[in-house]
Amino acid sequence: MIVAPFVVSLLVSFFCVPLLIPRLRRAGIVGKDLHKPCGIDNSEDISQGRPEVSEMGGLAIVVGFGAGILLATAMVSFFHVFPSVDLIVLLAVLSTVLLAGLIGIVDDLLGGCSKSNPVTTPPEGMRQWMKALLPVFAALPLMAVRAGHTFVKIPFVGTLNFWIFYPLVLVPVGVTVAVNAVNMLAGFNGLEVGLGIVAMGSLAIIAAILHETTALILLLSGLGALLGIIYFNWYPARILVGDVGTLSIGAIIATAVIVGNFETAGVIVIIPYAVDFLFKAAHRFPTTGWGGELGKDGKLYCPAHGPVSLCQFIMKVTCGIHERTLVLVLMGIEAIFGLVAIALYVWR
């Protein structure tokens, strides 16, 4: 029964994407994919040397995740399965993810396709500080229902009780950090979704080990939604997830670890994102120039001014790397941290 939300999320997300691709293109919601060579698909823009790809595919993630959560809610209400699931918390999480997705939609529509074209100047959109702080409001439903546990287990320290400061301070901070971290490590075909699959899969195993059913439902619904879109988002992508996708992925990860009370695991799986954050912080969070330079051999190379991101660091170390391989390397790095998090809870 626990796999039902996963299956529904996967199917809804998968069948949503073919409906979204032509409609987004007709609406002009597209991005020029900088890291594709000319002629890689039928949507080639010869004048600019880059294909145009439908943007805001993250809508399928939000819809798929929502379908899984609503199914789980109905199963609890009508058939009384998952007796340990807290419906109030489950719906609060859904509200948080929907709010995060809404913020992403606004940013996508106002800011254009900056992640698809990280070298040229992006269109005017939200200011950086506004984008960074808005996710705080997405955490309001969790704060209102006092989601999570005030007692937090910290390795080498012990269990600390954060009392009222947990829902009012740590919850919004956690959601904001996760959402922004996922939103920053993005811009390559399959990267955001691929990393999200590895992170959610690792955390789902931990939730199962701890018998945290509510968190497990959240993660399985999110995992299903991501698996439903990865086929279309993988290189060469036919749809880009946009900020609506990255913000939703970050919100699902953050809310699951909060509800499941395995915050330490959340911190561990977010480490690759944190490393990318430090690279960009050291260069004052560049809005352009964080992508790779596409060579004639189809490989991505670190620009002369780099590396200003984790992706560019990998490009520099490897002396050039194909986009698909770059994403696989980053997924492998994320998998290592996912295994470390799992081991921590298996052998504790």
Side-chain angles (χ1 to χ4, degrees):
M1 297 295 286
I2 194 70
V3 300
F6 166 81
V7 173
V8 168
S9 295
L10 189 154
L11 293 176
V12 170
S13 175
F14 181 82
F15 287 109
C16 268
V17 179
L19 298 176
L20 284 173
I21 291 175
R23 288 165 174 78
L24 290 170
R25 181 172 292 278
R26 285 199 297 269
I29 304 175
V30 295
K32 292 180 187 280
D33 194 339
L34 181 73
H35 301 120
K36 278 183 186 162
C38 282
I40 199 166
D41 62 12
N42 294 328
S43 60
E44 178 189 354
D45 182 343
I46 298 176
S47 64
Q48 297 295 325
R50 297 188 302 270
E52 285 190 341
V53 185
S54 297
E55 187 82 53
M56 285 178 60
L59 289 169
I61 298 174
V62 175
V63 174
F65 175 78
I69 297 303
L70 291 178
L71 174 65
T73 302
M75 291 172 69
V76 174
S77 300
F78 290 95
F79 303 104
H80 307 292
V81 296
F82 315 135
S84 62
V85 170
D86 189 332
L87 287 183
I88 294 177
V89 171
L90 202 63
L91 294 176
V93 169
L94 177 59
S95 299
T96 290
V97 174
L98 290 176
L99 285 172
L102 179 60
I103 294 169
I105 291 173
V106 173
D107 189 33
D108 282 332
L109 294 178
L110 292 182
C113 310
S114 58
K115 281 191 175 55
S116 306
N117 189 2
V119 170
T120 60
T121 303
E124 185 67 26
M126 290 187 192
R127 295 184 181 275
Q128 288 295 321
W129 65 267
M130 186 181 298
K131 290 172 61 175
L133 294 179
L134 275 178
V136 171
F137 295 98
L140 287 176
L142 296 178
M143 298 165 64
V145 301
R146 298 188 65 170
H149 307 267
T150 60
F151 289 91
V152 179
K153 295 179 181 179
I154 302 177
F156 311 112
V157 176
T159 302
L160 298 179
N161 183 7
F162 288 92
W163 191 49
I164 195 66
F165 297 105
Y166 184 88
L168 297 184
V169 178
L170 294 187
V171 167
V173 168
V175 171
T176 302
V177 169
V179 165
N180 281 291
V182 174
N183 189 47
M184 292 182 68
L185 185 51
F188 299 85
N189 290 176
L191 179 58
E192 306 94 315
V193 176
L195 291 180
I197 288 172
V198 177
M200 290 186 198
S202 303
L203 294 173
I205 293 173
I206 294 172
I209 292 172
L210 299 178
H211 303 289
E212 291 288 348
T213 309
T214 304
L216 182 58
I217 289 174
L218 295 173
L219 291 164
L220 289 179
S221 297
L223 184 60
L226 294 183
L227 288 172
I229 196 176
I230 188 66
Y231 173 76
F232 303 95
N233 183 241
W234 195 253
Y235 185 97
R238 282 172 277 176
I239 194 168
L240 306 175
V241 297
D243 284 346
V244 59
T246 56
L247 269 61
S248 300
I249 293 171
I252 295 170
I253 293 173
T255 53
V257 300
I258 289 170
V259 171
N261 195 30
F262 40 87
E263 292 87 353
T264 301
V267 172
I268 293 174
V269 300
I270 213 76
I271 287 176
Y273 298 94
V275 172
D276 182 69
F277 173 87
L278 292 176
F279 267 106
K280 291 173 179 172
H283 294 83
R284 299 182 180 180
F285 301 105
T287 56
T288 60
W290 47 263
E293 293 182 348
L294 183 61
K296 293 182 179 179
D297 57 0
K299 292 183 178 180
L300 297 176
Y301 293 88
C302 179
H305 65 269
V308 300
S309 67
L310 176 59
C311 295
Q312 286 188 356
F313 177 75
I314 295 174
M315 295 174 200
K316 186 170 184 177
V317 170
T318 57
C319 298
I321 187 171
H322 288 284
E323 182 176 1
R324 184 189 293 107
T325 307
L326 171 66
V327 173
L328 288 172
V329 168
L330 285 163
M331 288 177 65
I333 294 173
E334 178 66 21
I336 292 173
F337 285 99
L339 289 173
V340 170
I342 293 170
L344 180 65
Y345 284 86
V346 169
W347 295 319
R348 62 176 183 163

